[in-house]
Amino acid sequence: MCYWVGFVDDLCSVCPCGGILISINCGSSAYDSTGLHCVDVVMAQTLLLLLLLSLCARASLQSCSLLGQPALPLLSSEGDINIGAVFSLHREPVVKAHTFTSEPEPTSCIRLNLREFQFAQTLIFAVEEINNNTNLLPDMRLGYKIYDSCASIILAIRSAMALMNGYGQTLSDTSCQRPPAVQAIVGESGSTPTIGIASAVGPFSIPVVSHFATCACLSDTDRFPSFFRTIPSDYYQSRALAQLVKLFGWTWVGAVRSRNDYGNNGIATFVEAAQELGICVEYSEAYFRTDPKEELLRIVEVIKKATAKVVVAFLSQGDIIPLLNEVAVHNISGLQWVGSESWITSRGLSETKAFSFLTGSLGFAIGNVMLEGLKEFLVNVHPSKAPHNLFLREFWETAFQCSFENSPVEGSRCTGSESLLTLQNQYTDVSELRISNKVYTAVYAIAHSLHNLMMDAAHNETHQSVLIPPKVLEYLKKVNFTSKTGEQIFFDSRGDPAARYELVNWQPDDAGTLQFKSVGIYDTSVPSKQRFVLNQGGLVWAGGQTRVPVSVCSESCPPGTRKAAQKGKPVCCYDCIPCGEGEISNETGAEPVCKLLGEPLVPELEGQGDLVIGGIFTFRTGYDGEIPNFESLPNEPKCKKLGYRIYNACGYSNIMRSAIALASGVAKVIDGRNCSNTVRAEAIIGHSASAPTVGFARVLGLFQLPVISHFATCPCLSNRKEFPSFFRTIPSDYYQSRALAKLVKHFGWTWVGAISNANDYGINGMAGFVRAAQEEGVCIEYQEAFESTDPGQSVSQIVDMIRNATSKVIVTFMSHREIKVLVSEMHRKNISGLQWVGSEAWLTDDSLTDSEGHSLLIGSIGFTVSKAQIPGLGPFLQELHPSQYPNSQFFKEFWESVFDCSLNPPRDNDERKQCNGSEHLRNVNNAFTDVSELRFTNNVYKAVYAVAHALHNLYSCQAGQGPFINGTCATPTQTKPWQILQYLQQVHFTTKQGDNVFFDSNGQQLQLRNVSIVWQGGLSTVPVSVCSESCPPGTRKAVQKGKPVCCFQCVPCGAGEISNTTDATDCLKCPPTYWSNWKGDHCLLKTVEFLSYTELMGILLTLFSLMGATLTILIAAVFCHFRHTPIVKANNSELSFLLLFSLCFLCSLTFIGRPSEWSCMLRHTAFGITFVLCISCVLGKTIVVLMAFRATLPGSNVMKWFGPLQQRLSVLGFTLIQVLICVLWLAISPPFPYHNMSLYQNKIILECNLGSAVGFWAVLGYIGLLAILCFILAFLARKLPDNFNEAKFITFSMLIFCAVWITFIPAYVSSPGKFTVAVEIFAILASSYGLVFCIFIPKCYVIICRPHENTRKHIMQKNPQ
């Protein structure tokens, strides 16, 4: 088996081994509706062809197998003859990325398109109507196969391939050939998919008839030989829209289009027609529905800011909806919308309340018709008629929002009893059958061509032999019939029908709903003057107005004035200037010879030779031109103010005329029929300025006449497509612009002003500088352009802007004349102190040293061409004499100006002396004789030598070694300009000065430039020109609102953030354990804070703890020494000693110091257990007091139930409960050291995390419970005899204890950091000191200071004194 696929132009044949040659003509590189490039279309077509080609084998095993999976139609019915159709029955495909590890699944589609489904059903309706018609295709049944393209070009082409090849898996035909599955294809609706289909099936001559593809590009029969359509081409609609706009006087409009073939071609034709009618387009924007929202918002902003009040929208319906949504959101109203047929009759748009601003919209639409019986046919569609058709089930589920059994669609269950009669949507609406009728007529056009073909072949050929695509195509071209709606259907030579449109106006009805009212007709089938019929009286305009809106850039000029275009604006923007006086020409007649238009232009300097080269220079720096009124032959332009250097044109038209004269000669009349003139220049050198060079280089490029400039630096001249014969010996401003940007950046000037000539040189050069400056981070404060011929007010406004600006550097791209005007005005207004950065056009111009205000330019800096020495040039210039050029008027004026004498006979009004002939240029020292600065003169020198070397190589050519076809050489006596161009492109030589001269592919000589640096005002320091000073480390740049990025504020970095570089755009956050210093330029390690022994608070608390512990020891020693005295023994001395032992002075020390895992667990548990032991002892002592008094009552034996053993057990029991709580706390969730970084930003609090807050509060709660119980019991015993018990002291101690710990709770919760620990220590010490001072100090006082009261007798007294 063999497989071979190749590409050849306009060829499609079967290869001997069964392969096929595929020809796909891509044409222009346009993008389709999915954003797919035309190259991608070709690739897609090729891929689909490969998938659908059959595999061929030899001999008996030869068979064709389908590559891939078959593409099946969604709707089909077999007939004797079948036609195909491709519609976008779904709005988009579900595109999946294939890994090709398994066979890819077929592409699925989503979002049913009801409008396209109506088109499909209209086709079926027409087919069935034809099958029931006995006069059309009698005894034959017409079938159909309808495919879904899902609005995808790839699926559309795949559908076309399937319609050509069928969808069988195998074919047994030994030739691998079969007739196409269908005889013609109807569709697609979109222009771009249709281009793909027509490109694919065109080589096989299968007719494609579209109902809605309007792109004018489809009328190209070379690209689309089998394409037809029943809807007019956009060529007519676009031109009709232009005439419509012109009719209402709208000469200033905006344009928005779809970014696809439909929109691009349609608006291009509109713009072309609009320009012919004098209409200007203010803006032209393109949008596609898949573009990012930012692009849509940009377009809306352009529409909002524009001054045009008319918007021409050449958009598809899918593209205009997002645009209208944004227009509604931005509340843009008052615009007159002019629409294309794609959306101008869309019910969905007109019935959307948010789009009420479309009231008054105008546009051309296809005529509306009524198709009898279509409504009934549409509503009779039902899934039960094709139970296996999944598409009909999907349609039903979408229409009624229900689901059948086993359907993935959620919703209510479809019963089948639903009726389409109850629905009102795009499918069932037959009030606007404009496009559906085009589907209907397409089917009938195919049927009539098939009918005519069958009738002509009925007597001599069978169906099978005549039903071949070329025959069907031939008869379709000749089809001509009248439809039942009264339309005459035929196709012209390009496959287009007659163009007839209705002019539709959106007008509100009584209910406020927008309706489509026909207000005119445009018919191309009638004479041009009768094509446009308009009912202007019935129109409604934007916003419901009844007056025609005005959309012009400038009002019309009244009689007696003329239009003068405003600089930099389209021709529709002009000023009205009174007409000047002039003369008329009465010269008539013509001779049968070539005659020069106008007067012959004689060269100033001329030297005869075998070969002639031309040169165009500016010998004078001024121009006396007048505005001709053409009532007489215009006078010759005169130049004034004699000068010596070459800078700008002495009249643009004069330079153009000079170039034409060099190309054509100067004779008044040339005999001969061919109008040829051999006396022409072989090449032209010049001009110095870019703008005139652009003009004549473009013209002479048409004739391949070489033009070599020595000073025209505009980058635009590097475009070889526009200027194929242009060369230059000076580098392009592309390099100078970028070099100036780097120079500005090098010196730190990020805030500059920019001023340029308002011509090609200045505008292009400054544009290049601005682009490069933006890349370098340089901002332009202002950018202005002017010419020396502009009104003084214009220059004055620019100077005022410079004065008010804050930038101290001005970048100029202008000639010496403009810089003189500008500096003179600045000198007059006393503006100085600016740093000038100049282009090469004025930077080394000597004439500036004598100009007014030239001192302002001291210190200017810029790039210029390298200096050179030309040996012999100085003596050559000094030997020049008027006698050498007797016919040169310029040389006479030059001589008279230099020597202040006259070469003409004496006149009364001429006071100058007569030139006697002894004058000599050797004695003159001026810019002409000065050869010390040969920068641009050297470029002229090299240009002449380049031409000479090219001509030398041309005439030195050896036969058989030439650069032309077959090695031929040019004929010396009949050289052509293009032959000289060939040699000029290859020229490569070294001058006497050592310059290596050659041209690159753009005709530019490559060379380096030097730099001359001088600071303004003679300063030794670099000037500063910034919008904002650099932000130091510790700050960041914050852009000022409404200003360029170079204008910013320095905002200090926030706490915890740093910037360690100058001009940082963002501050960096410090790591979690670090914090910024006060400057904000470094991250410092955060300080770790805890209550330590070394700080004052820690020292004081430690001191009080040790004092308390010492006091406890002293009291214990006193009690131990006097343990046998009554006052010690009175309340159970064991409990007293145990109480002294349990006082928590020392446990508070565990809270001080760096928390560790053990200290965190110890501090809370030790505190909780010792405090419970302490309170248990106090509670025991209180109970002993109460029991003692109970025991004094007769018959009471209470004390035996609460003796010493019971007291010890009670203390032990109460304490064990707390121990159990602490054990559970430590076992489940013990305290642990924790770095708290959330409390403070600049430091870390090292504290003990409680682990379990429940455990902590359980410990405190248990202590509080015992304390309250003790307080209550002590309070009850407070009135017992003072000499016997200590109840009052216990009451006071418990009162202090409870007060301290009740206060502790809010203080503990609210205290931050280490103060939390301090509060807890304070509570421990305060409560401990309360117990000591209330219980033990009074007893110690009695024991030590009043021992006489420490007796049994005294204690037992009831009424002590």
Side-chain angles (χ1 to χ4, degrees):
M1 299 178 68
C2 63
Y3 315 98
W4 184 82
V5 177
F7 288 84
V8 295
D9 290 334
D10 304 322
L11 177 65
C12 181
S13 61
V14 178
C15 68
C17 61
I20 185 169
L21 292 172
I22 303 168
S23 172
I24 300 174
N25 187 2
C26 180
S28 60
S29 58
Y31 286 84
D32 70 344
S33 61
T34 60
L36 194 66
H37 194 274
C38 188
V39 175
D40 299 324
V41 174
V42 176
M43 294 175 65
Q45 294 175 357
T46 306
L47 175 63
L48 293 172
L49 283 170
L50 288 171
L51 290 175
L52 296 172
L53 285 176
S54 299
L55 300 178
C56 301
R58 294 190 177 277
S60 60
L61 296 178
Q62 191 171 15
S63 63
C64 295
S65 299
L66 189 69
L67 285 175
Q69 298 170 338
L72 302 176
L74 289 189
L75 302 169
S76 64
S77 176
E78 286 293 337
D80 300 321
I81 303 175
N82 295 317
I83 62 173
V86 183
F87 299 106
S88 298
L89 299 177
H90 290 88
R91 297 187 183 274
E92 59 180 296
V94 179
V95 181
K96 298 179 181 179
H98 297 302
T99 60
F100 298 102
T101 56
S102 60
E103 184 178 8
E105 297 179 357
T107 303
S108 58
C109 302
I110 57 175
R111 298 176 59 207
L112 192 67
N113 191 331
L114 295 179
R115 188 187 192 193
E116 292 282 320
F117 185 48
Q118 187 192 68
F119 296 163
Q121 289 298 319
T122 304
L123 181 142
I124 298 174
F125 169 74
V127 168
E128 293 191 3
E129 196 174 68
I130 292 169
N131 289 336
N132 294 328
N133 187 343
T134 57
N135 296 322
L136 189 61
L137 290 175
D139 303 324
M140 285 193 180
R141 175 174 175 77
L142 197 60
Y144 56 85
K145 301 178 188 295
I146 300 176
Y147 280 81
D148 181 12
S149 70
C150 303
S152 166
I153 184 172
I154 295 177
L155 294 182
I157 297 174
R158 184 176 184 223
S159 301
M161 294 294 114
L163 288 171
M164 281 196 300
N165 297 300
Y167 41 83
Q169 288 283 6
T170 59
L171 294 174
S172 59
D173 186 7
T174 57
S175 65
C176 288
Q177 291 180 323
R178 56 165 294 170
V182 296
Q183 299 302 321
I185 299 175
V186 177
E188 222 262 3
S189 300
S191 293
T192 303
T194 305
I195 289 173
I197 294 174
S199 299
V201 305
F204 305 100
S205 302
I206 297 180
V208 176
V209 186
S210 178
H211 57 287
F212 208 5
T214 56
C215 178
C217 58
L218 285 163
S219 298
D220 187 349
T221 54
D222 292 332
R223 290 179 60 194
F224 312 107
S226 66
F227 177 76
F228 301 83
R229 53 182 155 200
T230 54
I231 189 170
S233 164
D234 281 335
Y235 172 83
Y236 304 103
Q237 180 185 199
S238 298
R239 303 187 73 84
L241 287 175
Q243 293 182 30
L244 176 69
V245 169
K246 182 63 176 179
L247 177 67
F248 296 117
W250 300 327
T251 59
W252 188 239
V253 301
V256 186
R257 68 186 187 276
S258 291
R259 189 171 45 79
N260 55 20
D261 292 292
Y262 168 72
N264 292 336
N265 286 275
I267 211 67
T269 305
F270 168 80
V271 171
E272 180 183 352
Q275 290 175 345
E276 294 174 0
L277 296 173
I279 300 168
C280 297
V281 179
E282 182 180 11
Y283 58 86
S284 180
E285 299 292 339
Y287 175 74
F288 192 67
R289 65 186 70 101
T290 58
D291 287 349
K293 190 173 182 180
E294 291 76 11
E295 177 66 12
L296 181 61
L297 294 176
R298 186 191 65 80
I299 295 174
V300 172
E301 196 65 25
V302 169
I303 296 174
K304 181 190 293 186
K305 293 181 178 179
T307 57
K309 300 301 180 184
V310 173
V311 181
V312 178
F314 223 100
L315 293 154
S316 65
Q317 188 170 340
D319 294 334
I320 197 173
I321 292 175
L323 176 64
L324 295 179
N325 285 329
E326 288 300 326
V327 170
V329 170
H330 287 76
N331 195 25
I332 302 175
S333 58
L335 297 178
Q336 177 65 48
W337 291 82
V338 178
S340 59
E341 92 296 334
S342 180
W343 66 270
I344 200 64
T345 56
S346 172
R347 283 290 181 196
L349 296 180
S350 65
E351 293 174 357
T352 303
K353 296 297 183 183
F355 299 160
S356 60
F357 55 83
L358 291 176
T359 301
S361 294
L362 278 172
F364 290 102
I366 305 303
N368 198 11
V369 298
M370 294 298 296
L371 294 177
E372 184 179 353
L374 179 60
K375 173 73 173 182
E376 293 74 14
F377 181 83
L378 294 176
V379 298
N380 281 331
V381 171
H382 198 279
S384 61
K385 296 181 179 180
H388 299 294
N389 193 310
L390 298 179
F391 173 75
L392 289 179
R393 292 166 63 93
E394 180 187 355
F395 161 70
W396 202 262
E397 290 172 340
T398 303
F400 294 102
Q401 293 297 298
C402 62
S403 63
F404 289 100
E405 187 177 359
N406 299 326
S407 172
V409 180
E410 296 181 357
S412 59
R413 184 61 60 86
C414 296
T415 62
S417 61
E418 299 86 2
S419 175
L420 290 173
L421 284 171
T422 62
L423 293 181
Q424 182 63 30
N425 55 26
Q426 284 186 304
Y427 173 74
T428 59
D429 182 15
V430 293
S431 63
E432 291 287 337
L433 295 178
R434 301 175 189 271
I435 309 303
S436 296
N437 180 52
K438 298 305 173 185
V439 179
Y440 182 82
T441 53
V443 176
Y444 265 88
I446 296 171
H448 276 277
S449 63
L450 291 171
H451 177 82
N452 296 337
L453 172 62
M454 301 304 295
M455 291 298 102
D456 289 348
H459 302 290
N460 53 13
E461 294 188 68
T462 62
H463 300 344
Q464 287 75 14
S465 59
V466 298
L467 283 180
I468 57 175
K471 282 287 186 182
V472 178
L473 183 63
E474 178 186 346
Y475 276 81
L476 192 58
K477 291 178 180 179
K478 297 183 292 185
V479 76
N480 194 333
F481 66 96
T482 302
S483 69
K484 69 177 183 180
T485 59
E487 295 177 88
Q488 188 70 21
I489 307 301
F490 63 93
F491 301 108
D492 63 12
S493 60
R494 293 172 296 184
D496 293 331
R500 190 177 190 276
Y501 298 97
E502 285 184 1
L503 181 60
V504 174
N505 185 216
W506 289 30
Q507 300 183 7
D509 58 12
D510 296 336
T513 304
L514 292 176
Q515 300 294 333
F516 310 133
K517 183 178 179 181
S518 178
V519 294
I521 293 175
Y522 184 86
D523 191 350
T524 60
S525 63
V526 298
S528 58
K529 294 184 178 180
Q530 304 173 12
R531 288 180 178 178
F532 206 162
V533 180
L534 177 66
N535 178 20
Q536 192 166 347
L539 285 171
V540 173
W541 303 103
Q545 301 295 318
T546 56
R547 297 182 60 182
V548 180
V550 176
S551 185
V552 296
C553 185
S554 300
E555 296 292 337
S556 298
C557 290
T561 63
R562 69 173 180 85
K563 296 190 294 184
Q566 296 178 1
K567 190 176 295 292
K569 292 188 177 182
V571 294
C572 300
C573 303
Y574 48 79
D575 298 318
C576 297
I577 299 177
C579 295
E581 298 181 357
E583 298 177 352
I584 65 172
S585 172
N586 56 7
E587 187 178 6
T588 59
E591 300 177 7
V593 294
C594 292
K595 188 173 182 179
L596 189 70
L597 288 176
E599 295 297 323
L601 190 63
V602 180
E604 287 287 347
L605 306 174
E606 184 177 8
Q608 298 299 322
D610 298 324
L611 299 173
V612 179
I613 63 174
I616 302 175
F617 302 97
T618 299
F619 295 148
R620 301 174 176 88
T621 57
Y623 173 53
D624 277 339
E626 62 180 26
I627 302 174
N629 55 18
F630 299 105
E631 295 177 358
S632 62
L633 186 66
N635 294 326
E636 290 295 322
K638 296 180 180 179
C639 299
K640 64 179 183 178
K641 192 177 179 182
L642 189 61
Y644 309 107
R645 297 293 301 276
I646 301 170
Y647 293 100
N648 200 4
C650 178
Y652 183 90
S653 58
N654 196 27
I655 294 174
M656 288 292 294
R657 191 177 171 202
S658 301
I660 299 300
L662 285 169
S664 304
V666 297
K668 180 72 176 179
V669 175
I670 303 170
D671 295 326
R673 297 182 179 181
N674 59 358
C675 293
S676 63
N677 181 7
T678 58
V679 185
R680 58 167 175 80
E682 304 294 342
I684 297 176
I685 297 174
H687 182 271
S688 302
S690 294
T693 304
V694 168
F696 70 75
R698 182 178 280 116
V699 173
L700 298 182
L702 299 174
F703 309 102
Q704 297 86 39
L705 191 65
V707 176
I708 308 176
S709 177
H710 58 287
F711 208 1
T713 55
C714 178
C716 57
L717 287 164
S718 297
N719 187 341
R720 301 303 278 175
K721 292 182 178 179
E722 288 194 45
F723 310 102
S725 66
F726 177 77
F727 300 82
R728 53 182 157 198
T729 54
I730 188 171
S732 164
D733 279 335
Y734 171 82
Y735 304 103
Q736 181 181 200
S737 300
R738 303 186 76 82
L740 288 176
K742 291 184 179 294
L743 178 70
V744 168
K745 180 65 175 178
H746 175 75
F747 293 114
W749 300 328
T750 58
W751 187 237
V752 301
I755 304 177
S756 69
N757 274 73
N759 57 20
D760 292 298
Y761 169 72
I763 292 173
N764 284 277
M766 189 55 71
F769 169 77
V770 171
R771 284 193 299 269
Q774 290 174 344
E775 295 173 4
E776 297 288 344
V778 178
C779 295
I780 311 299
E781 183 179 10
Y782 57 87
Q783 183 178 352
E784 295 295 332
F786 76 99
E787 288 288 306
S788 58
T789 55
D790 286 355
Q793 182 182 2
S794 175
V795 180
S796 180
Q797 290 176 351
I798 293 176
V799 171
D800 290 337
M801 180 181 294
I802 295 174
R803 173 192 292 169
N804 298 327
T806 57
S807 58
K808 300 302 180 184
V809 174
I810 302 178
V811 179
T812 58
F813 244 100
M814 57 180 64
S815 72
H816 68 291
R817 285 187 306 281
E818 279 70 30
I819 199 73
K820 284 180 181 178
V821 173
L822 182 63
V823 171
S824 175
E825 182 68 16
M826 292 178 65
H827 177 73
R828 191 177 65 82
K829 294 189 176 183
N830 195 25
I831 301 175
S832 60
L834 298 175
Q835 175 65 48
W836 295 82
V837 178
S839 60
E840 89 294 335
W842 68 266
L843 197 64
T844 57
D845 190 274
D846 295 331
S847 65
L848 293 175
T849 58
D850 299 327
S851 63
E852 182 183 12
H854 69 276
S855 60
L856 299 180
L857 297 176
I858 296 175
S860 298
I861 185 174
F863 294 92
T864 186
V865 177
S866 302
K867 289 195 297 184
Q869 295 293 326
I870 303 178
L873 179 62
F876 174 82
L877 295 177
Q878 293 173 0
E879 295 300 325
L880 290 176
H881 195 273
S883 61
Q884 298 173 355
Y885 306 100
N887 296 325
S888 175
Q889 181 63 31
F890 161 76
F891 213 95
K892 291 179 181 179
E893 295 178 10
F894 163 72
W895 198 263
E896 292 175 342
S897 175
V898 170
F899 296 105
D900 194 23
C901 63
S902 175
L903 292 171
N904 297 318
R907 290 179 295 181
D908 295 338
N909 58 352
D910 191 355
E911 298 180 355
R912 295 179 300 174
K913 64 180 181 180
Q914 287 293 114
C915 298
N916 55 24
S918 62
E919 301 86 4
H920 204 285
L921 290 175
R922 283 195 304 266
N923 306 319
V924 175
N925 186 15
N926 57 19
F928 177 75
T929 59
D930 182 14
V931 291
S932 62
E933 287 283 339
L934 296 180
R935 300 179 186 273
F936 307 107
T937 305
N938 187 47
N939 289 340
V940 179
Y941 181 81
K942 290 188 290 186
V944 175
Y945 265 89
V947 176
H949 276 276
L951 292 172
H952 173 78
N953 295 336
L954 183 147
Y955 283 94
S956 303
C957 177
Q958 299 294 324
Q961 299 178 6
F964 307 114
I965 299 176
N966 298 325
T968 57
C969 299
T971 304
T973 57
Q974 297 179 355
T975 57
K976 305 296 183 182
W978 61 268
Q979 295 173 328
I980 300 174
L981 274 180
Q982 165 65 29
Y983 282 94
L984 198 57
Q985 289 174 347
Q986 307 299 327
V987 76
H988 194 158
F989 65 96
T990 302
T991 65
K992 290 186 291 185
Q993 296 78 29
D995 290 336
N996 194 19
V997 179
F998 63 95
F999 300 104
D1000 66 7
S1001 59
N1002 293 323
Q1004 299 174 170
Q1005 183 194 349
L1006 302 180
Q1007 66 178 58
L1008 298 176
R1009 301 186 180 186
N1010 64 345
V1011 182
S1012 301
I1013 300 178
V1014 180
W1015 295 123
Q1016 63 93 11
L1019 298 177
S1020 58
T1021 57
V1022 180
V1024 176
S1025 182
V1026 295
C1027 184
S1028 302
E1029 293 292 337
S1030 295
C1031 291
T1035 62
R1036 65 173 177 86
K1037 295 195 297 186
V1039 178
Q1040 297 179 4
K1041 189 174 183 180
K1043 292 188 177 181
V1045 293
C1046 299
C1047 300
F1048 48 82
Q1049 294 175 332
C1050 297
V1051 179
C1053 290
E1057 297 179 340
I1058 66 161
S1059 66
N1060 52 11
T1061 59
T1062 303
D1063 286 336
T1065 56
D1066 288 302
C1067 294
L1068 304 175
K1069 283 188 174 296
C1070 290
T1073 57
Y1074 287 80
W1075 194 249
S1076 58
N1077 62 348
W1078 66 273
K1079 290 184 178 180
D1081 58 355
H1082 284 91
C1083 287
L1084 303 177
L1085 193 63
K1086 290 182 180 179
T1087 57
V1088 179
E1089 186 178 86
F1090 55 89
L1091 187 60
S1092 68
Y1093 292 104
T1094 58
E1095 60 180 300
L1096 180 60
M1097 186 184 299
I1099 293 172
L1100 291 176
L1101 293 174
T1102 302
L1103 182 61
F1104 279 108
S1105 297
L1106 295 176
M1107 287 173 58
T1110 304
L1111 183 60
T1112 302
I1113 293 171
L1114 293 175
I1115 293 173
V1118 172
F1119 270 49
C1120 183
H1121 185 269
F1122 297 98
R1123 63 184 177 277
H1124 300 296
T1125 60
I1127 199 166
V1128 175
K1129 297 171 62 177
N1131 289 96
N1132 194 332
S1133 59
E1134 289 183 8
L1135 290 180
S1136 297
F1137 283 108
L1138 190 58
L1139 178 58
L1140 286 171
F1141 170 77
S1142 63
L1143 288 174
C1144 303
F1145 288 109
L1146 292 179
C1147 75
S1148 63
L1149 296 178
T1150 60
F1151 288 84
I1152 305 174
R1154 188 181 189 89
S1156 64
E1157 188 174 351
W1158 286 104
S1159 66
C1160 287
M1161 290 190 292
L1162 181 62
R1163 65 171 58 172
H1164 291 101
T1165 54
F1167 149 70
I1169 293 172
T1170 54
F1171 246 85
V1172 166
L1173 180 59
C1174 178
I1175 300 300
S1176 299
C1177 293
V1178 175
L1179 182 60
K1181 292 170 71 69
T1182 306
I1183 294 175
V1184 167
V1185 173
L1186 289 174
M1187 295 303 166
F1189 278 92
R1190 288 281 184 180
T1192 59
L1193 298 175
S1196 175
N1197 58 352
V1198 173
M1199 287 304 295
K1200 76 175 183 178
W1201 297 106
F1202 203 74
L1205 178 61
Q1206 285 80 5
Q1207 293 173 23
R1208 298 187 191 99
L1209 291 175
S1210 64
V1211 171
L1212 180 60
F1214 287 133
T1215 305
L1216 286 175
I1217 294 174
Q1218 183 73 308
V1219 171
L1220 179 62
I1221 294 174
C1222 291
V1223 169
L1224 291 174
W1225 182 13
L1226 295 178
I1228 296 173
S1229 181
F1232 58 90
Y1234 170 67
H1235 290 79
N1236 189 345
M1237 290 183 284
S1238 61
L1239 193 58
Y1240 296 103
Q1241 292 182 331
N1242 58 345
K1243 55 186 176 181
I1244 301 173
I1245 303 299
L1246 182 57
E1247 59 186 11
C1248 286
N1249 189 292
L1250 296 176
S1252 172
V1254 175
F1256 174 72
W1257 291 109
V1259 168
L1260 287 186
Y1262 184 63
I1263 295 172
L1265 177 64
L1266 294 180
I1268 292 171
L1269 179 61
C1270 185
F1271 173 73
I1272 293 172
L1273 295 178
F1275 182 77
L1276 294 175
R1278 72 188 185 285
K1279 293 184 179 180
L1280 297 178
D1282 291 349
N1283 291 353
F1284 180 78
N1285 71 87
E1286 51 188 348
K1288 280 187 178 181
F1289 298 118
I1290 293 175
T1291 301
F1292 281 117
S1293 65
M1294 288 298 103
L1295 186 62
I1296 294 171
F1297 185 92
C1298 292
V1300 167
W1301 286 101
I1302 290 173
T1303 309
F1304 161 78
I1305 294 173
Y1308 180 84
V1309 172
S1310 60
S1311 297
K1314 63 183 179 181
F1315 297 102
T1316 304
V1317 180
V1319 166
E1320 193 168 356
I1321 295 173
F1322 175 78
I1324 294 172
L1325 294 178
S1327 55
S1328 298
Y1329 274 108
L1331 290 173
V1332 170
F1333 280 99
C1334 291
I1335 296 177
F1336 294 102
I1337 293 300
K1339 293 182 179 181
C1340 290
Y1341 173 74
V1342 172
I1343 292 172
I1344 298 172
C1345 298
R1346 305 183 75 170
H1348 61 279
E1349 294 182 3
N1350 188 11
T1351 61
R1352 182 179 178 83
K1353 178 182 178 181
H1354 181 78
I1355 292 175
M1356 296 300 294
Q1357 287 182 358
K1358 292 185 179 181
N1359 296 307
Q1361 298 298 323

